[in-house]
Amino acid sequence: MARMQDPGLRREARSGLAMVSPTLLYAVLLLAAPLATVLLYSVLTSARGQVSWDFTLGNYIEVWTGPVYRAIMLRSLTVALGVTLVTVLIAYPIAYFVSMHVEPSKKSLWLFLITIPFWTSYLIRVFLWKVILGYNGVINSGLMSVGIIDEPLQWINYNVGALIVTLAHAYAPFAILPIFVSLEKIDRSLLEAGQDLGESKLRTFWRVTLPLSMPGVIAAVLIVFIPTIGDYVTPDLIGGGKLPMIANMMEVQMLKVNNKALGSAIAVSAMLIVGIVAVGFVLLNRRFLGPQK
Amino acid sequence: MKQGRSLRAYAIGYLVFLYAPILLLPVFAFNDSKIIAFPLSGFTTNWFSEMWSDAQVWIALKNSLTIAASASILATTFGIFAARASQRYRFPGKGAAMGLIMLPLVLPEMIVAMSLLVVLLAVGVPLSIFTVILGHVLICTPFAVAILTSAFQSLDRSLEEAAYDLGETPVSTFRLIILPLVMPGIISSLLICFTISLDEFIIAYFLAGADTVLSAYIYSQFRFPARVPAMLALGTILVLVSICLLTVAEYFRRRGIAKTGGKDTGGFL
């Protein structure tokens, strides 16, 4: 703090604040203020489309104890955790391959190829999964025209599994990048040292590579978990509206029922779930890295 | 290198899984049947002409392009300020300020859209493409900051000091020295933000009001099975355009890194 008294630093602080102020002001007005409004709404009362200044915790009690809401939140959590698990397990070997086995000059090409689908037409990709997995979809019609099955398979469409496959595909590239970055940071001589000291390749991986890449895995978990738990399109298109998740429930309360207070309580609850999971994983990460530091 | 070979096979299999749905897109966009299923029933370009003659598509396209152009320019401008501030200056509350600016990256989009919607309705701002631009700037800015931070990071501070010593003002230094060096980063950021905005659905769907935006229009048409093939034709074109934009963005990102002598760490983030 004493260093802030230095006039040079004070001038630097002023210039820095002036420089960041336009962007910061925008974020405060259009992000912080709306989030604060939602937080406020969540403890107010909503009647006939109007929010009135009657403080209550009733919205939260309804969201956390109502059977319908509980089922939907539990489904969102199951889907998000399932997607995260599948995505990270599939992504790890790819990140490992690109980091350890691809020539340095070709690494950015591989990463570019992997990330392209992530940036393109999210909506259309989700819809294509509906077309692929649907009752009269590509898989069923394909298998039937070849003669492998006689009637359409039903276990591949309109269930939680279909939601997980679609979302895992949509967010797959996002998991690879952080894992790749953490693998790139590993000092390769540590791996050689492990093998020189008589460890097998598998044990070197288990005891050196994996623990050291854990920060990337944790980042991947968060970066996949957060958007999937709030996904709106997939439950609507793939679930056929029969498997709503938190985002769909938010839409119904905010716009269709026009109960903004309850909708806000759902939004805050969703942020709370995300926050708890995030903190949990960050703590886990600290424990993982603790002994090595 | 047996391990390397099986990993390579796995990686190629993974790429196939990643691209399979996108590759199906042109297959059914050119398939002569209203039903999206095998076996294929012949080649046609009818779906493309149906899409081409749909007046709504053109209105939506014009709106989407307006939104994407405005949002990418505004977000990149905001990104320049924030990235420059975080790379060049130390100031109190920097962590919190940058945290808030980057927050949309780790917030479900639905929550961003709904909280913005609640405030817009409370204040009484009518929903239109203008409100979509407001939302898109918010979600594009973190990406712009991330791309531009790496551009500013590789900038040699002594170049700037040399310009001051030679009598340039801060403004002319910025224009003559810094701007040209980070230009590739700026172009890359513009293109990425443009692609994100064009592709974005949630905010475009909830904040557009009565205006039609491309992604929301496609979504609404998916309800009518007869309209699906034409939408797949439209999707094919959109995917091609996105891939071109991204390739150009990647080219500029790499050139920027090469220009300032940095090391390529790969990827946009």
Side-chain angles (χ1 to χ4, degrees):
Chain A
M1 270 291 115
R3 285 172 60 218
M4 283 321 270
Q5 302 307 317
D6 178 11
L9 272 180
R10 224 165 35 214
R11 204 176 58 216
E12 184 178 327
R14 249 202 322 271
S15 314
L17 280 172
M19 184 70 85
V20 82
S21 60
T23 318
L24 186 59
L25 193 68
Y26 192 85
V28 167
L29 284 179
L30 280 102
L31 184 64
L35 289 177
T37 311
V38 164
L39 199 61
L40 179 67
Y41 271 18
S42 72
V43 290
L44 297 180
T45 314
S46 183
R48 277 170 267 116
Q50 294 295 318
V51 179
S52 60
W53 287 92
D54 297 314
F55 285 95
T56 172
L57 286 175
N59 299 317
Y60 285 101
I61 294 171
E62 194 172 341
V63 171
W64 287 93
T65 56
V68 177
Y69 299 112
R70 270 237 295 266
I72 291 176
M73 294 234 250
L74 210 61
R75 178 185 301 131
S76 308
L77 205 59
T78 315
V79 169
L81 288 175
V83 170
T84 309
L85 188 72
V86 170
T87 315
V88 172
L89 284 180
I90 293 177
Y92 196 96
I94 302 293
Y96 185 85
F97 168 74
V98 177
S99 176
M100 302 285 178
H101 292 280
V102 171
E103 288 167 45
S105 60
K106 284 191 187 151
K107 278 181 185 173
S108 35
L109 178 68
W110 269 92
L111 288 181
F112 184 60
L113 280 178
I114 289 165
T115 37
I116 275 190
F118 176 76
W119 299 98
T120 49
S121 59
Y122 164 74
L123 188 65
I124 291 169
R125 277 184 295 133
V126 171
F127 182 75
L128 283 167
W129 276 104
K130 179 194 165 93
V131 166
I132 292 171
L133 297 173
Y135 186 77
N136 294 314
V138 171
I139 290 185
N140 275 337
S141 65
L143 290 179
M144 270 159 63
S145 69
V146 184
I148 295 176
I149 52 172
D150 296 325
E151 49 187 272
L153 304 171
Q154 292 198 16
W155 52 268
I156 56 171
N157 41 45
Y158 307 118
N159 56 30
V160 170
L163 293 184
I164 291 179
V165 169
T166 308
L167 283 167
H169 181 264
Y171 289 99
F174 229 20
I176 292 179
L177 290 179
I179 300 175
F180 171 78
V181 169
S182 69
L183 283 169
E184 282 291 277
K185 281 189 191 143
I186 296 175
D187 187 349
R188 297 300 194 263
S189 58
L190 288 176
L191 307 182
E192 283 163 24
Q195 286 179 24
D196 287 348
L197 292 170
E199 297 273 32
S200 70
K201 269 191 171 171
L202 197 66
R203 277 181 67 93
T204 312
F205 172 79
W206 193 245
R207 296 189 43 179
V208 182
T209 317
L210 190 61
L212 285 176
S213 62
M214 232 28 208
V217 173
I218 302 290
V221 164
L222 292 179
I223 224 163
V224 174
F225 179 80
I226 292 168
T228 43
I229 196 164
D231 195 86
Y232 171 84
V233 178
T234 308
D236 199 46
L237 282 179
I238 303 287
K242 292 186 191 72
L243 299 166
M245 281 173 43
I246 291 181
N248 312 85
M249 184 165 70
M250 254 159 76
E251 184 207 8
V252 168
Q253 288 302 330
M254 289 270 195
L255 301 175
K256 295 192 176 138
V257 180
N258 207 0
N259 186 341
K260 298 228 164 42
L262 193 63
S264 298
I266 297 169
V268 175
S269 306
M271 282 190 273
L272 222 63
I273 293 177
V274 168
I276 290 169
V277 171
V279 169
F281 270 103
V282 170
L283 288 180
L284 205 71
N285 189 21
R286 226 175 250 165
R287 231 181 119 170
F288 242 105
L289 288 178
Q292 282 139 15
K293 271 188 179 164
Chain B
M1 284 321 282
K2 199 167 136 268
Q3 186 201 10
R5 214 173 302 151
S6 56
L7 268 176
R8 174 176 291 271
Y10 176 76
I12 290 169
Y14 178 81
L15 281 183
V16 171
F17 165 70
L18 216 51
Y19 281 89
I22 298 180
L23 294 178
L24 279 178
L25 198 54
V27 170
F28 289 109
F30 285 111
N31 183 32
D32 191 10
S33 164
K34 271 194 179 3
I35 302 154
I36 312 297
F38 285 113
L40 300 174
S41 39
F43 181 86
T44 178
T45 53
N46 283 349
W47 307 123
F48 283 87
S49 46
E50 182 188 320
M51 180 272 297
W52 203 259
S53 57
D54 181 349
Q56 279 294 316
V57 167
W58 293 100
I59 296 169
L61 178 69
K62 199 179 132 255
N63 284 341
S64 280
L65 291 179
T66 313
I67 292 167
S70 320
S72 57
I73 291 169
L74 283 170
T76 303
T77 312
F78 282 136
I80 292 173
F81 281 113
R84 175 77 175 150
S86 85
Q87 281 305 305
R88 175 69 173 72
Y89 301 101
R90 276 171 296 170
F91 52 91
K94 183 167 154 180
M98 293 311 289
L100 179 66
I101 292 168
M102 301 304 270
L103 188 63
L105 214 52
V106 293
L107 211 55
E109 228 170 280
M110 190 66 179
I111 289 178
V112 177
M114 282 299 143
S115 55
L116 208 49
L117 183 68
V118 164
V119 170
L120 290 172
L121 290 179
V123 178
V125 181
L127 298 179
S128 67
I129 61 171
F130 174 70
T131 46
V132 178
I133 294 173
L134 290 182
H136 278 186
V137 170
L138 204 59
I139 57 159
C140 287
T141 303
F143 289 95
V145 173
I147 295 165
L148 290 161
T149 298
S150 66
F152 279 114
Q153 209 165 28
S154 44
L155 206 62
D156 190 348
R157 181 122 169 228
S158 55
L159 289 174
E160 196 186 322
E161 280 157 8
Y164 289 143
D165 289 346
L166 293 169
E168 295 290 345
T169 64
V171 175
S172 64
T173 307
F174 188 81
R175 191 171 60 83
L176 293 170
I177 309 291
I178 299 171
L179 209 55
L181 283 173
V182 294
M183 205 37 149
I186 293 176
I187 295 174
S188 169
S189 158
L190 283 173
L191 291 168
I192 294 283
C193 292
F194 192 91
T195 318
I196 292 172
S197 170
L198 204 59
D199 192 38
E200 203 284 332
F201 168 70
I202 298 286
I203 289 171
Y205 183 62
F206 288 111
L207 297 187
D211 288 340
T212 343
V213 181
L214 214 46
S215 57
Y217 180 67
I218 293 175
Y219 187 74
S220 70
Q221 296 301 299
F222 280 157
R223 281 172 215 286
F224 312 110
R227 296 284 292 147
V228 167
M231 289 303 113
L232 294 186
L234 180 59
T236 308
I237 295 174
L238 282 180
V239 167
L240 281 177
V241 170
S242 293
I243 291 176
C244 290
L245 285 174
L246 291 170
T247 311
V248 177
E250 169 73 3
Y251 168 78
F252 277 106
R253 192 189 62 83
R254 284 197 204 176
R255 218 183 72 175
I257 289 166
K259 211 170 175 180
T260 46
K263 191 176 153 285
D264 192 358
T265 48
F268 291 111
L269 296 168

